[in-house]
Amino acid sequence: MQKLCTKCNFIGKGKHGLFSGNIYFGIFEVLVAVGILVYGGNYLQSSAYAAVVAAIVAIAGSINIIDSFSDGRLCPSCSKDNLIPLDSLQAEKIIQEKNLTLPEDTET
């Protein structure tokens, strides 16, 4: 879905930050969680503690993997978190006030 940046008036799709929505980082986190689960009992104080830490890291990795399939929240032009959907009332008001032109391939 196309979005409008309220800061720089960019119209297009958002991008993800370095760690948010990065599928490779999410896979890495899940692999670290498996490593903690397998080897953590030896290095941490107990296997139960290792299981809790591994679960937390695995959940964070899973969220990153799922988030990588959604639209980004950052503007590719100014890197600010000011994107709003094009079909919102606020976007329509900004488009009319600033006389912006919509790209031909807008998906709503």
Side-chain angles (χ1 to χ4, degrees):
M1 172 193 275
Q2 299 284 336
K3 296 183 179 182
L4 169 70
C5 178
T6 58
K7 185 87 170 166
C8 69
N9 299 324
F10 169 82
I11 296 176
K13 292 189 176 193
K15 70 174 186 171
H16 291 286
L18 179 61
F19 297 114
S20 133
N22 188 333
I23 192 165
Y24 301 111
F25 188 69
I27 291 170
F28 174 72
E29 284 178 314
V30 171
L31 292 175
V32 167
V34 170
I36 290 172
L37 194 58
V38 172
Y39 300 109
N42 298 335
Y43 299 109
L44 299 174
Q45 294 177 347
S46 71
S47 296
Y49 181 66
V52 169
V53 171
I56 292 170
V57 174
I59 290 170
S62 300
I63 290 171
N64 266 332
I65 292 170
I66 292 168
D67 192 35
S68 70
F69 294 105
S70 67
D71 288 339
R73 294 181 200 94
L74 299 177
C75 174
S77 181
C78 67
S79 297
K80 300 292 182 190
D81 186 15
N82 294 333
L83 294 178
I84 57 173
L86 273 182
D87 57 356
S88 69
L89 293 175
Q90 183 183 4
E92 290 176 12
K93 181 180 174 186
I94 292 172
I95 290 169
Q96 288 176 353
E97 284 177 358
K98 299 190 178 182
N99 200 18
L100 301 175
T101 58
L102 298 176
E104 295 290 326
D105 59 345
T106 55
E107 302 169 12
T108 55

